[in-house]
Amino acid sequence: MELNKVYNPKEVEEKWYSFWEKKGFFHGRTDSPKESFSLAIPPPNITGILTMGHVLDNVPQDIMARWKRMEGYETVWVPGTDHAGIATQNVVEKDLAKEGLTRWDLGREEFVQRVWKWKEEYGQVIIGQLKRLGCSCDWKRLRFTLDEGLTQAVQEAFLRLYEKGLIYKGNYIINWCPRCSTALSDEEARHKEIKGKLWYIRYPLKGSNGFVTVATTRPETMLGDVALAINPEDKRHKGLLKLTPVLPILGRELRVIEDDFVDPKFGTGVVKVTPAHDVNDFEMAKRHNLTPILVMDKNGRMNQEAGPYKGLDRFACRRRLLEDLKEQGLLEKEEDHLISVGHCQRCDTMVEPYLSEQWFVRMKPLAQPAIEAVEKGEIRFFPPRWKKVYLNWLYNIRDWCISRQLWWGHRIPIWYCQGCGQSIPGRVRPQLCPHCQGKDLSQEEDVLDTWFSSWLWPFSVFGWPQNTPDLQRFYPLSFQNSGYDIIFFWVARMIMAGYEFTGRAPFSQVYIHGMVLDELGRWMSKSLGNSPDPSEIIGEFGADAVRFSIILITAQGQDAYFSKEKVHVGRNFANKLWNASRFILAQTKDFTEDASHLDEEKLDLADRWILSRFHRTIKLMTASLEGYRFNEAAHLIYDFTWHDFCDWYIELSKIPLYQKEKEGRKSQVQALLLYCLEGLLRLLHPFMPFITEEIWQKLRPKSHRLWPGEEESITIAPWPIPERRWRDRAVEREMAKLQGIVVAVRNMRAELGIPPGKKTSLILKPTAESTLRSIEENSSYITHLARVEELILNPAAERPSVCKTAVVEDVEVFLPLEGLIDLQEEKEKLKDQIDRIQSLVEKANQKLMNRDFLKKAPQEVIERERAKVEEGRAKLEKLKENLKSLSGG
């Protein structure tokens, strides 16, 4: 069974994914006697297409699922998508706008149907892309956060919390997006630092010509001021307590209050109190019994309370108001001021703190079990540093605003009686009002925050609130994966929901990964033009190359600095593996023995070394995966495959394969080549599933000689087990010394420009008897790999007059140069190089000694010149050393 000359991912990937699905390898059975391993995908939005962020999010999950499947667990990786309330509604509204329509033209029912239609047409795009990436999800368990089962779970959760008094409706300052016309949670209002202004405004004092100056960053909200406040410890403004400030423009009289919240160092130490438009002012107003005044509507326009500014956009109002204040002599000054302002996560509109009646969940009672679980170690974070971040947020948790002014989503299961005004909770629409028997009932217009369905994900996907076989078998999850950007949105809330609704932790281990950034450390976005399409990259390089590259460059919990060029690493590795496999298959055509049975008596040093390295790699990789150190595991299999196996053992195998050696060596080496190749394919499979399946299937005709069992696919082949008997540190040290000699000779040849095909003589002077014996027994390694024609091994050897030298542990290495190269010509070349580099170093030094240069040049230019000097000096030292060796020094 031969492999094609060149690996073509397009010919392989679709074929094997269809095969895996058809065979049902990804489906977990509830009646299986195996121990279970379960995980649930962080559901991507139905509006989404695959991004590099999704790649980084899903590849570690797939590695875990494939690894545990191979370890013999009944593995379930539940896939699904999120209805993404705001995002999806925005997409469909934009489509309607192209037709000259709004959702109001359609009405709620018809608009929701329109969104469902859009979902059926476009909402599954990302599912196909996840399959193309190789994700081994249990597609028979595909869920959607608005499907019938999850809708029932959401209603049940809401009503249970409502009945316990943990859900309430109340007036509070919320984050309001005027563009999306909905409330946002604190986590959905992402704060950005922007260059703003601090305006100093004079408030006249009643009955006098005096005034008090107040600083603000949002002058348009002053129209809703109900008081001014000072810190009780600030003696500068105590006299204000007896005076009555008057609100500029509108003429409203204001109270002066004392409150510890006021920072005496901000502005003048006197602050305005605007409870309808600032969360801290709202809390202050509650403490002092102040009545809020709302001066904007939900579209960000000023309302009737804004007096002459009614109807103006909030920013237009700001401009007009500042002009009027200036004209009246009430604008004292303005200063540049950096401010942190919330922006809508979906549309990037500046969020408005807004007093509104909304639905909330009381979070403090729910947070306590979630805090205790992590403090006691029942739930562990990987890496552990995220534990502190998680706990700090929960210690300071605020009530969660769960209502959204949207049409697409889970409509809140509360009905209002138009007759008596009572609120009626219910899983279905009540026929009559239980309070007055009235029939005129209307359901709450708002829908629930998208995250309200997502926090139930670990158990709702298995059928909760019903006690289904799936729920009994696969809940709690074994592992949960998440980006650090949604620890609060999702991870913390899932843990709270797990304890509240099931009495158990939803999972015991959480792996937190970083974000994908460009090479400059910027977030990837279409607007910056730095967000490559993974589908296109997969088309160019193959899914395995993309998967392996993103894991290789991403340390545990760290951000990934990604560029398309970095995928070359994965593609080159796939090609290296492919070519090595082609070689082995070609060299084992005549192999008919039992490759799983290795005769220890016939093993030479290289055989025992590769077995030790292989079984050590198994052990270390398994430990890395157990600790969710995916890039560490990837580096281990990369180094073993590329360096140990391909660069060294396969090269050494050519000695018995190509030459006549002692009886049985060829078959022994053939067996080891097959043994290691088949094993490393299994180690690599969770990372690069497609190419490993393709090669492994070519090995299947030899399956009865490689491993017991009748597995149809590497997907369900057993994970390799590290055998202690093969791991031998002494063998690895002995081999490392021989490798060091080969590398030293190769380096000396390269420095002197000796052609690869030209053989040399070599003198080795070991001091230890054990080293002498080792080199004697394995001299063919050195002669073959270092291109040595004559090897002289002599503990008493004298250094030749003209030679290159190196020292490898207890061995002096002499490479005689007489007759090997034209000494005079080589000396002249070295002298020219020395002169050229000496000149460059002197020029750079002159610049660095020039005060004007050091004063005017950018720091990076200065550092570049310093680097030139350091690098030049290192090169000069090496070149002079080479010249000395050619001169017999």
mmCIF file of all heavy atoms in Angstrom, residues 170-176 183 218 224 226 274-279 281-283 285-286 290-298 303 352-358 360:
data_model
loop_
_atom_site.group_PDB
_atom_site.id
_atom_site.type_symbol
_atom_site.label_atom_id
_atom_site.label_comp_id
_atom_site.label_asym_id
_atom_site.label_seq_id
_atom_site.Cartn_x
_atom_site.Cartn_y
_atom_site.Cartn_z
ATOM 1 N N GLY A 170 -37.613 45.874 38.557
ATOM 2 C CA GLY A 170 -37.420 47.120 39.286
ATOM 3 C C GLY A 170 -36.729 48.168 38.452
ATOM 4 O O GLY A 170 -36.174 47.888 37.386
ATOM 5 N N ASN A 171 -36.775 49.416 38.956
ATOM 6 C CA ASN A 171 -36.093 50.526 38.302
ATOM 7 C C ASN A 171 -34.637 50.544 38.735
ATOM 8 O O ASN A 171 -34.333 50.471 39.929
ATOM 9 C CB ASN A 171 -36.753 51.852 38.686
ATOM 10 C CG ASN A 171 -38.071 52.047 37.963
ATOM 11 O OD1 ASN A 171 -38.124 51.925 36.741
ATOM 12 N ND2 ASN A 171 -39.122 52.320 38.717
ATOM 13 N N TYR A 172 -33.775 50.637 37.756
ATOM 14 C CA TYR A 172 -32.356 50.650 38.080
ATOM 15 C C TYR A 172 -31.608 51.265 36.906
ATOM 16 O O TYR A 172 -32.094 51.283 35.771
ATOM 17 C CB TYR A 172 -31.852 49.217 38.325
ATOM 18 C CG TYR A 172 -30.526 49.175 39.045
ATOM 19 C CD1 TYR A 172 -30.447 49.445 40.408
ATOM 20 C CD2 TYR A 172 -29.357 48.866 38.373
ATOM 21 C CE1 TYR A 172 -29.236 49.411 41.077
ATOM 22 C CE2 TYR A 172 -28.132 48.834 39.023
ATOM 23 C CZ TYR A 172 -28.075 49.108 40.386
ATOM 24 O OH TYR A 172 -26.872 49.083 41.040
ATOM 25 N N ILE A 173 -30.419 51.764 37.195
ATOM 26 C CA ILE A 173 -29.565 52.267 36.112
ATOM 27 C C ILE A 173 -28.986 51.064 35.377
ATOM 28 O O ILE A 173 -28.303 50.228 35.971
ATOM 29 C CB ILE A 173 -28.419 53.132 36.668
ATOM 30 C CG1 ILE A 173 -28.980 54.413 37.267
ATOM 31 C CG2 ILE A 173 -27.412 53.449 35.566
ATOM 32 C CD1 ILE A 173 -29.461 55.406 36.243
ATOM 33 N N ILE A 174 -29.289 50.990 34.114
ATOM 34 C CA ILE A 174 -28.760 49.904 33.296
ATOM 35 C C ILE A 174 -27.939 50.496 32.144
ATOM 36 O O ILE A 174 -27.976 51.691 31.889
ATOM 37 C CB ILE A 174 -29.898 48.990 32.753
ATOM 38 C CG1 ILE A 174 -31.047 49.828 32.131
ATOM 39 C CG2 ILE A 174 -30.434 48.121 33.853
ATOM 40 C CD1 ILE A 174 -30.924 50.101 30.704
ATOM 41 N N ASN A 175 -27.201 49.639 31.491
ATOM 42 C CA ASN A 175 -26.495 50.050 30.278
ATOM 43 C C ASN A 175 -27.485 49.975 29.127
ATOM 44 O O ASN A 175 -28.042 48.913 28.849
ATOM 45 C CB ASN A 175 -25.318 49.110 30.006
ATOM 46 C CG ASN A 175 -24.339 49.058 31.155
ATOM 47 O OD1 ASN A 175 -23.700 50.032 31.481
ATOM 48 N ND2 ASN A 175 -24.252 47.895 31.804
ATOM 49 N N TRP A 176 -27.694 51.098 28.448
ATOM 50 C CA TRP A 176 -28.692 51.129 27.378
ATOM 51 C C TRP A 176 -28.001 51.451 26.055
ATOM 52 O O TRP A 176 -27.234 52.415 25.947
ATOM 53 C CB TRP A 176 -29.760 52.185 27.679
ATOM 54 C CG TRP A 176 -30.838 52.208 26.630
ATOM 55 C CD1 TRP A 176 -30.913 53.020 25.535
ATOM 56 C CD2 TRP A 176 -31.978 51.355 26.573
ATOM 57 N NE1 TRP A 176 -32.034 52.723 24.800
ATOM 58 C CE2 TRP A 176 -32.710 51.699 25.408
ATOM 59 C CE3 TRP A 176 -32.461 50.331 27.383
ATOM 60 C CZ2 TRP A 176 -33.885 51.066 25.041
ATOM 61 C CZ3 TRP A 176 -33.638 49.696 27.025
ATOM 62 C CH2 TRP A 176 -34.339 50.058 25.873
ATOM 63 N N ALA A 183 -31.498 46.980 26.746
ATOM 64 C CA ALA A 183 -30.590 46.975 27.885
ATOM 65 C C ALA A 183 -29.443 46.015 27.604
ATOM 66 O O ALA A 183 -29.577 45.052 26.851
ATOM 67 C CB ALA A 183 -31.337 46.540 29.146
ATOM 68 N N ARG A 218 -20.039 64.782 31.136
ATOM 69 C CA ARG A 218 -21.262 64.575 30.346
ATOM 70 C C ARG A 218 -22.240 65.727 30.629
ATOM 71 O O ARG A 218 -23.240 65.562 31.333
ATOM 72 C CB ARG A 218 -21.905 63.226 30.699
ATOM 73 C CG ARG A 218 -21.009 62.028 30.378
ATOM 74 C CD ARG A 218 -21.510 60.758 31.064
ATOM 75 N NE ARG A 218 -22.796 60.356 30.577
ATOM 76 C CZ ARG A 218 -23.771 59.845 31.345
ATOM 77 N NH1 ARG A 218 -23.601 59.724 32.642
ATOM 78 N NH2 ARG A 218 -24.916 59.493 30.814
ATOM 79 N N GLY A 224 -30.697 66.699 34.125
ATOM 80 C CA GLY A 224 -31.389 65.811 35.066
ATOM 81 C C GLY A 224 -30.840 65.886 36.471
ATOM 82 O O GLY A 224 -31.146 65.034 37.317
ATOM 83 N N VAL A 226 -30.467 66.673 40.322
ATOM 84 C CA VAL A 226 -31.425 66.905 41.409
ATOM 85 C C VAL A 226 -30.729 67.416 42.666
ATOM 86 O O VAL A 226 -31.383 67.783 43.642
ATOM 87 C CB VAL A 226 -32.217 65.623 41.740
ATOM 88 C CG1 VAL A 226 -33.069 65.204 40.553
ATOM 89 C CG2 VAL A 226 -31.298 64.483 42.155
ATOM 90 N N THR A 274 -26.998 63.106 39.330
ATOM 91 C CA THR A 274 -27.938 62.882 38.223
ATOM 92 C C THR A 274 -28.409 61.430 38.279
ATOM 93 O O THR A 274 -27.940 60.589 37.514
ATOM 94 C CB THR A 274 -27.254 63.171 36.869
ATOM 95 O OG1 THR A 274 -26.452 64.338 36.988
ATOM 96 C CG2 THR A 274 -28.273 63.337 35.763
ATOM 97 N N PRO A 275 -29.311 61.091 39.174
ATOM 98 C CA PRO A 275 -29.610 59.679 39.462
ATOM 99 C C PRO A 275 -30.223 58.878 38.316
ATOM 100 O O PRO A 275 -30.135 57.656 38.316
ATOM 101 C CB PRO A 275 -30.579 59.758 40.648
ATOM 102 C CG PRO A 275 -31.006 61.164 40.750
ATOM 103 C CD PRO A 275 -30.012 62.016 40.067
ATOM 104 N N ALA A 276 -30.813 59.555 37.326
ATOM 105 C CA ALA A 276 -31.426 58.803 36.231
ATOM 106 C C ALA A 276 -30.412 58.448 35.147
ATOM 107 O O ALA A 276 -30.735 57.692 34.227
ATOM 108 C CB ALA A 276 -32.576 59.595 35.604
ATOM 109 N N HIS A 277 -29.172 58.974 35.278
ATOM 110 C CA HIS A 277 -28.197 58.776 34.200
ATOM 111 C C HIS A 277 -26.796 58.408 34.696
ATOM 112 O O HIS A 277 -25.839 58.501 33.945
ATOM 113 C CB HIS A 277 -28.126 60.043 33.331
ATOM 114 C CG HIS A 277 -29.408 60.328 32.627
ATOM 115 N ND1 HIS A 277 -29.781 59.704 31.462
ATOM 116 C CD2 HIS A 277 -30.453 61.156 32.966
ATOM 117 C CE1 HIS A 277 -30.973 60.135 31.080
ATOM 118 N NE2 HIS A 277 -31.404 61.023 31.984
ATOM 119 N N ASP A 278 -26.686 57.952 35.935
ATOM 120 C CA ASP A 278 -25.393 57.510 36.453
ATOM 121 C C ASP A 278 -25.645 56.531 37.601
ATOM 122 O O ASP A 278 -26.424 56.839 38.520
ATOM 123 C CB ASP A 278 -24.571 58.709 36.945
ATOM 124 C CG ASP A 278 -23.194 58.299 37.418
ATOM 125 O OD1 ASP A 278 -23.064 57.890 38.592
ATOM 126 O OD2 ASP A 278 -22.242 58.358 36.617
ATOM 127 N N VAL A 279 -24.985 55.402 37.555
ATOM 128 C CA VAL A 279 -25.269 54.353 38.534
ATOM 129 C C VAL A 279 -24.859 54.769 39.942
ATOM 130 O O VAL A 279 -25.550 54.465 40.927
ATOM 131 C CB VAL A 279 -24.587 53.027 38.122
ATOM 132 C CG1 VAL A 279 -23.070 53.131 38.156
ATOM 133 C CG2 VAL A 279 -25.070 51.882 39.007
ATOM 134 N N ASP A 281 -24.655 57.869 41.055
ATOM 135 C CA ASP A 281 -25.601 58.907 41.478
ATOM 136 C C ASP A 281 -26.937 58.286 41.875
ATOM 137 O O ASP A 281 -27.619 58.777 42.793
ATOM 138 C CB ASP A 281 -25.823 59.909 40.346
ATOM 139 C CG ASP A 281 -24.590 60.779 40.101
ATOM 140 O OD1 ASP A 281 -23.547 60.525 40.738
ATOM 141 O OD2 ASP A 281 -24.663 61.693 39.259
ATOM 142 N N PHE A 282 -27.306 57.219 41.197
ATOM 143 C CA PHE A 282 -28.559 56.537 41.529
ATOM 144 C C PHE A 282 -28.500 55.999 42.965
ATOM 145 O O PHE A 282 -29.451 56.136 43.744
ATOM 146 C CB PHE A 282 -28.802 55.400 40.540
ATOM 147 C CG PHE A 282 -30.049 54.604 40.797
ATOM 148 C CD1 PHE A 282 -31.299 55.109 40.461
ATOM 149 C CD2 PHE A 282 -29.988 53.342 41.393
ATOM 150 C CE1 PHE A 282 -32.457 54.383 40.708
ATOM 151 C CE2 PHE A 282 -31.142 52.613 41.642
ATOM 152 C CZ PHE A 282 -32.380 53.126 41.296
ATOM 153 N N GLU A 283 -27.364 55.374 43.311
ATOM 154 C CA GLU A 283 -27.214 54.839 44.668
ATOM 155 C C GLU A 283 -27.187 55.970 45.694
ATOM 156 O O GLU A 283 -27.742 55.847 46.786
ATOM 157 C CB GLU A 283 -25.919 54.016 44.758
ATOM 158 C CG GLU A 283 -25.903 52.758 43.899
ATOM 159 C CD GLU A 283 -26.960 51.748 44.326
ATOM 160 O OE1 GLU A 283 -27.395 51.788 45.496
ATOM 161 O OE2 GLU A 283 -27.371 50.919 43.486
ATOM 162 N N ALA A 285 -28.672 58.835 45.380
ATOM 163 C CA ALA A 285 -30.034 59.359 45.479
ATOM 164 C C ALA A 285 -30.896 58.507 46.396
ATOM 165 O O ALA A 285 -31.728 59.034 47.151
ATOM 166 C CB ALA A 285 -30.655 59.431 44.082
ATOM 167 N N LYS A 286 -30.689 57.188 46.344
ATOM 168 C CA LYS A 286 -31.460 56.307 47.233
ATOM 169 C C LYS A 286 -31.108 56.580 48.695
ATOM 170 O O LYS A 286 -31.990 56.574 49.567
ATOM 171 C CB LYS A 286 -31.171 54.834 46.891
ATOM 172 C CG LYS A 286 -31.832 54.370 45.606
ATOM 173 C CD LYS A 286 -31.974 52.848 45.537
ATOM 174 C CE LYS A 286 -30.644 52.160 45.463
ATOM 175 N NZ LYS A 286 -30.783 50.685 45.279
ATOM 176 N N LEU A 290 -33.691 61.190 47.051
ATOM 177 C CA LEU A 290 -33.814 62.118 45.930
ATOM 178 C C LEU A 290 -34.596 61.452 44.802
ATOM 179 O O LEU A 290 -34.421 60.255 44.534
ATOM 180 C CB LEU A 290 -32.420 62.525 45.418
ATOM 181 C CG LEU A 290 -31.506 63.229 46.437
ATOM 182 C CD1 LEU A 290 -30.107 63.387 45.865
ATOM 183 C CD2 LEU A 290 -32.082 64.592 46.823
ATOM 184 N N THR A 291 -35.424 62.187 44.119
ATOM 185 C CA THR A 291 -36.237 61.645 43.022
ATOM 186 C C THR A 291 -35.523 61.837 41.691
ATOM 187 O O THR A 291 -35.211 62.979 41.307
ATOM 188 C CB THR A 291 -37.608 62.344 42.962
ATOM 189 O OG1 THR A 291 -38.260 62.190 44.226
ATOM 190 C CG2 THR A 291 -38.469 61.740 41.859
ATOM 191 N N PRO A 292 -35.247 60.748 40.959
ATOM 192 C CA PRO A 292 -34.541 60.874 39.670
ATOM 193 C C PRO A 292 -35.394 61.594 38.630
ATOM 194 O O PRO A 292 -36.626 61.525 38.642
ATOM 195 C CB PRO A 292 -34.306 59.408 39.260
ATOM 196 C CG PRO A 292 -34.471 58.615 40.507
ATOM 197 C CD PRO A 292 -35.480 59.346 41.335
ATOM 198 N N ILE A 293 -34.735 62.281 37.714
ATOM 199 C CA ILE A 293 -35.395 62.927 36.581
ATOM 200 C C ILE A 293 -34.737 62.415 35.291
ATOM 201 O O ILE A 293 -33.550 62.662 35.062
ATOM 202 C CB ILE A 293 -35.279 64.464 36.656
ATOM 203 C CG1 ILE A 293 -35.960 64.985 37.932
ATOM 204 C CG2 ILE A 293 -35.885 65.119 35.418
ATOM 205 C CD1 ILE A 293 -35.766 66.485 38.147
ATOM 206 N N LEU A 294 -35.504 61.729 34.473
ATOM 207 C CA LEU A 294 -35.001 61.169 33.218
ATOM 208 C C LEU A 294 -35.119 62.233 32.130
ATOM 209 O O LEU A 294 -36.209 62.746 31.877
ATOM 210 C CB LEU A 294 -35.830 59.934 32.851
ATOM 211 C CG LEU A 294 -35.283 58.968 31.811
ATOM 212 C CD1 LEU A 294 -33.997 58.309 32.300
ATOM 213 C CD2 LEU A 294 -36.314 57.893 31.508
ATOM 214 N N VAL A 295 -33.992 62.547 31.470
ATOM 215 C CA VAL A 295 -34.035 63.631 30.479
ATOM 216 C C VAL A 295 -33.807 63.141 29.048
ATOM 217 O O VAL A 295 -33.714 63.955 28.128
ATOM 218 C CB VAL A 295 -33.007 64.742 30.820
ATOM 219 C CG1 VAL A 295 -33.368 65.408 32.133
ATOM 220 C CG2 VAL A 295 -31.595 64.195 30.841
ATOM 221 N N MET A 296 -33.713 61.822 28.856
ATOM 222 C CA MET A 296 -33.547 61.255 27.505
ATOM 223 C C MET A 296 -34.585 60.179 27.282
ATOM 224 O O MET A 296 -35.090 59.570 28.227
ATOM 225 C CB MET A 296 -32.162 60.610 27.343
ATOM 226 C CG MET A 296 -31.007 61.557 27.281
ATOM 227 S SD MET A 296 -29.490 60.619 27.024
ATOM 228 C CE MET A 296 -28.311 61.740 27.750
ATOM 229 N N ASP A 297 -34.850 59.938 25.986
ATOM 230 C CA ASP A 297 -35.688 58.783 25.663
ATOM 231 C C ASP A 297 -34.785 57.613 25.292
ATOM 232 O O ASP A 297 -33.550 57.702 25.330
ATOM 233 C CB ASP A 297 -36.694 59.109 24.557
ATOM 234 C CG ASP A 297 -36.037 59.424 23.209
ATOM 235 O OD1 ASP A 297 -34.857 59.056 23.015
ATOM 236 O OD2 ASP A 297 -36.709 60.041 22.360
ATOM 237 N N LYS A 298 -35.388 56.496 24.884
ATOM 238 C CA LYS A 298 -34.618 55.274 24.622
ATOM 239 C C LYS A 298 -33.817 55.321 23.327
ATOM 240 O O LYS A 298 -33.011 54.428 23.066
ATOM 241 C CB LYS A 298 -35.556 54.067 24.627
ATOM 242 C CG LYS A 298 -36.137 53.795 26.004
ATOM 243 C CD LYS A 298 -37.027 52.563 26.028
ATOM 244 C CE LYS A 298 -37.527 52.289 27.445
ATOM 245 N NZ LYS A 298 -38.376 51.082 27.528
ATOM 246 N N ASN A 303 -35.777 64.389 26.079
ATOM 247 C CA ASN A 303 -37.240 64.399 26.206
ATOM 248 C C ASN A 303 -37.725 65.740 26.748
ATOM 249 O O ASN A 303 -36.962 66.707 26.853
ATOM 250 C CB ASN A 303 -37.698 63.221 27.069
ATOM 251 C CG ASN A 303 -37.182 63.315 28.501
ATOM 252 O OD1 ASN A 303 -36.785 64.388 28.974
ATOM 253 N ND2 ASN A 303 -37.175 62.195 29.207
ATOM 254 N N GLU A 352 -25.414 54.348 27.027
ATOM 255 C CA GLU A 352 -25.945 55.400 27.896
ATOM 256 C C GLU A 352 -26.407 54.777 29.216
ATOM 257 O O GLU A 352 -27.254 53.875 29.217
ATOM 258 C CB GLU A 352 -27.131 56.095 27.221
ATOM 259 C CG GLU A 352 -27.596 57.339 27.932
ATOM 260 C CD GLU A 352 -26.545 58.438 27.942
ATOM 261 O OE1 GLU A 352 -25.886 58.664 26.903
ATOM 262 O OE2 GLU A 352 -26.387 59.083 28.995
ATOM 263 N N PRO A 353 -25.843 55.198 30.373
ATOM 264 C CA PRO A 353 -26.423 54.768 31.651
ATOM 265 C C PRO A 353 -27.845 55.331 31.737
ATOM 266 O O PRO A 353 -28.041 56.540 31.557
ATOM 267 C CB PRO A 353 -25.495 55.408 32.692
ATOM 268 C CG PRO A 353 -24.225 55.709 31.948
ATOM 269 C CD PRO A 353 -24.651 56.038 30.556
ATOM 270 N N TYR A 354 -28.806 54.490 32.002
ATOM 271 C CA TYR A 354 -30.198 54.893 31.796
ATOM 272 C C TYR A 354 -31.086 54.251 32.856
ATOM 273 O O TYR A 354 -31.014 53.049 33.114
ATOM 274 C CB TYR A 354 -30.620 54.430 30.397
ATOM 275 C CG TYR A 354 -31.922 54.994 29.884
ATOM 276 C CD1 TYR A 354 -32.000 56.276 29.369
ATOM 277 C CD2 TYR A 354 -33.082 54.210 29.882
ATOM 278 C CE1 TYR A 354 -33.195 56.785 28.872
ATOM 279 C CE2 TYR A 354 -34.269 54.699 29.384
ATOM 280 C CZ TYR A 354 -34.327 55.997 28.879
ATOM 281 O OH TYR A 354 -35.508 56.477 28.386
ATOM 282 N N LEU A 355 -31.924 55.076 33.463
ATOM 283 C CA LEU A 355 -32.854 54.564 34.463
ATOM 284 C C LEU A 355 -34.040 53.925 33.753
ATOM 285 O O LEU A 355 -34.729 54.563 32.962
ATOM 286 C CB LEU A 355 -33.342 55.706 35.366
ATOM 287 C CG LEU A 355 -34.285 55.291 36.501
ATOM 288 C CD1 LEU A 355 -33.600 54.348 37.480
ATOM 289 C CD2 LEU A 355 -34.802 56.529 37.239
ATOM 290 N N SER A 356 -34.244 52.645 34.036
ATOM 291 C CA SER A 356 -35.276 51.924 33.300
ATOM 292 C C SER A 356 -35.829 50.799 34.162
ATOM 293 O O SER A 356 -35.142 50.270 35.045
ATOM 294 C CB SER A 356 -34.672 51.351 32.007
ATOM 295 O OG SER A 356 -35.590 50.553 31.322
ATOM 296 N N GLU A 357 -37.072 50.411 33.878
ATOM 297 C CA GLU A 357 -37.661 49.270 34.568
ATOM 298 C C GLU A 357 -37.260 48.002 33.817
ATOM 299 O O GLU A 357 -37.560 47.848 32.641
ATOM 300 C CB GLU A 357 -39.177 49.387 34.631
ATOM 301 C CG GLU A 357 -39.813 48.322 35.512
ATOM 302 C CD GLU A 357 -41.324 48.486 35.655
ATOM 303 O OE1 GLU A 357 -41.980 48.732 34.622
ATOM 304 O OE2 GLU A 357 -41.831 48.347 36.786
ATOM 305 N N GLN A 358 -36.577 47.113 34.512
ATOM 306 C CA GLN A 358 -36.054 45.897 33.899
ATOM 307 C C GLN A 358 -36.235 44.714 34.855
ATOM 308 O O GLN A 358 -36.555 44.877 36.026
ATOM 309 C CB GLN A 358 -34.558 46.060 33.579
ATOM 310 C CG GLN A 358 -34.223 47.209 32.648
ATOM 311 C CD GLN A 358 -34.604 46.940 31.211
ATOM 312 O OE1 GLN A 358 -34.744 45.794 30.802
ATOM 313 N NE2 GLN A 358 -34.773 48.010 30.422
ATOM 314 N N PHE A 360 -34.423 41.560 36.804
ATOM 315 C CA PHE A 360 -33.100 41.262 37.368
ATOM 316 C C PHE A 360 -33.117 39.918 38.099
ATOM 317 O O PHE A 360 -34.145 39.476 38.601
ATOM 318 C CB PHE A 360 -32.686 42.349 38.371
ATOM 319 C CG PHE A 360 -32.495 43.710 37.767
ATOM 320 C CD1 PHE A 360 -33.575 44.580 37.626
ATOM 321 C CD2 PHE A 360 -31.247 44.128 37.331
ATOM 322 C CE1 PHE A 360 -33.402 45.843 37.073
ATOM 323 C CE2 PHE A 360 -31.076 45.387 36.775
ATOM 324 C CZ PHE A 360 -32.146 46.249 36.653
#
